[in-house]
Amino acid sequence: MVAAGFLLLVLAAARWRENGPGTLVWLASFLAMFVIRLPYSIRNRKNAIVEAHKGPDEVILLFAMFATMMLLPLAHLATGCFAFADYALPGGVVAAGAFLQIPFLILFWRAHADLGRNWSPGLEVRQDHTLVTHGIYRRIRHPMYAAIWLSALAQPLLIQNWIAGFLVLPAFAAMWIIRVPREEAMLRRRFAQAWDGYCLRAGRVFPKFGTSAGRDG
Ligand code: SAH
């Protein structure tokens, strides 16, 4: 699977002239995202899971994100298979998409670093799970999802194709609408008043300022 992904990545980079310079920016960010996440994926496998919510809708949402964020863009950039669904935007739009990669990668990296052993791709509570309220989590409750919002907004600008570029937006909107209330309910059950106090100090996706941010973790 990793080898196939790597092959697609190389083919996609080789076709950058056909695909446009924005796709090179997308590929570089994709690689950076992979490098940021990999150590946590490997390390966190060892931390036992004590609560998991893996209903069919969760599985569909995760698969939709995997398909629209990774599989479809890589397949299209490597082969041009969805060329019939291309659109063209003005040149400045690619620069805007490229600029969004900066806050995206910073938020993505800091969210992984601060969640540390508590991170998991699904809705899960780990053994000795702690409530993280420091670092990037001090003022925002969902910095990783904020990062993915930025990436999802930039993707249709960098990959100008309805299937390989645009589809990630509705996929992530569905993920956001369905998953965030479940994740928050799960954390409220687990951390009770500590979670409620944290919600008063930190916004969901936009930082909350003007309240004293403490450390409950
Ligand atoms: N929604 C967060 C984290 C996404 S990763 C963000 O956008 O940054 C998903 C996992 O993170 C969930 O399974 C949950 O157990 C865990 N999680 C989310 N917020 C947390 C917090 N403040 N402290 C500890 N774990 C958290």
Side-chain angles (χ1 to χ4, degrees), residues 42-54:
I42 295 171
R43 246 183 269 153
N44 288 8
R45 260 185 235 152
K46 282 180 253 145
N47 308 340
I49 294 165
V50 294
E51 181 182 338
H53 300 268
K54 275 194 184 144

Side-chain angles (χ1 to χ4, degrees), residues 37 111 115 118-126 129-133 137 141-146 179-180 183 186-187 191 195 198:
R37 178 159 279 187
L115 266 189
N118 300 298
W119 174 75
S120 48
L123 276 188
E124 286 158 2
V125 175
R126 298 207 176 252
H129 204 110
T130 53
L131 178 64
V132 175
T133 62
Y137 284 83
R141 306 206 291 275
H142 300 288
M144 197 176 294
Y145 297 157
R179 185 190 265 196
V180 169
E183 187 174 317
M186 181 182 83
L187 293 167
F191 297 106
W195 172 261
Y198 173 49

Side-chain angles (χ1 to χ4, degrees), residues 26-211:
W26 183 87
L27 284 167
S29 273
F30 179 83
L31 207 61
M33 195 168 85
F34 184 77
V35 168
I36 289 170
R37 178 159 279 187
L38 189 65
Y40 299 93
S41 299
I42 295 171
R43 246 183 269 153
N44 288 8
R45 260 185 235 152
K46 282 180 253 145
N47 308 340
I49 294 165
V50 294
E51 181 182 338
H53 300 268
K54 275 194 184 144
D57 46 354
E58 261 296 316
V59 174
I60 291 169
L61 283 175
L62 272 179
F63 180 75
M65 285 308 293
F66 168 68
T68 57
M69 253 189 125
M70 301 177 196
L71 200 61
L72 296 174
L74 275 182
H76 173 62
L77 296 183
T79 65
C81 56
F82 301 124
F84 61 90
D86 277 345
Y87 54 80
L89 296 171
V93 152
V94 169
F99 177 76
L100 286 176
Q101 302 309 303
I102 301 168
F104 157 53
L105 288 173
I106 292 174
L107 278 173
F108 195 75
W109 162 53
R110 287 315 313 163
H112 280 83
D114 288 333
L115 266 189
R117 66 179 304 287
N118 300 298
W119 174 75
S120 48
L123 276 188
E124 286 158 2
V125 175
R126 298 207 176 252
Q127 187 113 51
D128 303 320
H129 204 110
T130 53
L131 178 64
V132 175
T133 62
H134 61 275
I136 196 81
Y137 284 83
R138 201 173 158 86
R139 300 288 182 184
I140 326 177
R141 306 206 291 275
H142 300 288
M144 197 176 294
Y145 297 157
I148 297 172
W149 265 126
L150 292 175
S151 168
L153 286 170
Q155 189 169 308
L157 310 180
L158 298 173
I159 304 176
Q160 299 183 7
N161 182 279
W162 289 108
I163 296 168
F166 179 80
L167 270 190
V168 70
L169 262 182
F172 189 59
M175 175 102 172
W176 171 261
I177 291 167
I178 295 170
R179 185 190 265 196
V180 169
R182 285 181 185 169
E183 187 174 317
E184 297 210 326
M186 181 182 83
L187 293 167
R188 180 170 290 116
R189 278 195 305 277
R190 197 90 198 163
F191 297 106
Q193 293 108 310
W195 172 261
D196 288 332
Y198 173 49
C199 290
L200 295 175
R201 303 188 302 272
R204 250 188 176 167
V205 70
F206 294 110
K208 205 183 249 189
F209 292 106
T211 47

